[in-house]
Amino acid sequence: MRILSYRPAPSGGGTTLCHVDVEIVAGVRLFGLRVAQMPDRSFRVFGPNTDRAGRSMSFDPAVVDAIAHAAISYNKLDGHSCNEYRFAS
């Protein structure tokens, strides 16, 4: 799992932490994923919607955790500070 691009959510972005482009495995890249943290501190990852108002992809919970933790690690390494662990205690 490799973060290709990291864009922090603006302040006041609700549950959204960031948007990322990721390379899941060599040669498989996903763009414009929204990483969110829910009030129960779990993570969600959403792909872009289709032009018919439907989802373009879905992820197994283990993949969600891998993407979210890769984004958070990237955030720390790259020096971004906004919106990290929005619901952390």
Side-chain angles (χ1 to χ4, degrees):
M1 177 83 53
R2 183 168 67 111
I3 302 296
L4 303 171
S5 175
Y6 179 97
R7 297 166 306 283
S11 182
T15 61
T16 301
L17 298 175
C18 61
H19 289 84
V20 294
D21 302 335
V22 299
E23 186 169 44
I24 300 292
V25 297
V28 179
R29 296 176 181 168
L30 302 173
F31 300 94
L33 302 180
R34 181 171 64 91
V35 179
Q37 187 178 31
M38 302 295 107
D40 68 0
R41 299 178 64 184
S42 65
F43 293 101
R44 302 287 187 274
V45 176
F46 303 96
N49 288 333
T50 67
D51 60 351
R52 296 176 188 226
R55 294 278 178 214
S56 60
M57 61 193 78
S58 66
F59 303 101
D60 181 82
V63 175
V64 168
D65 285 341
I67 292 170
H69 287 97
I72 290 164
S73 294
Y74 184 91
N75 179 34
K76 289 179 182 176
L77 291 174
D78 202 44
H80 293 289
S81 61
C82 67
N83 299 335
E84 184 179 343
Y85 289 100
R86 192 179 300 274
F87 296 104
S89 55

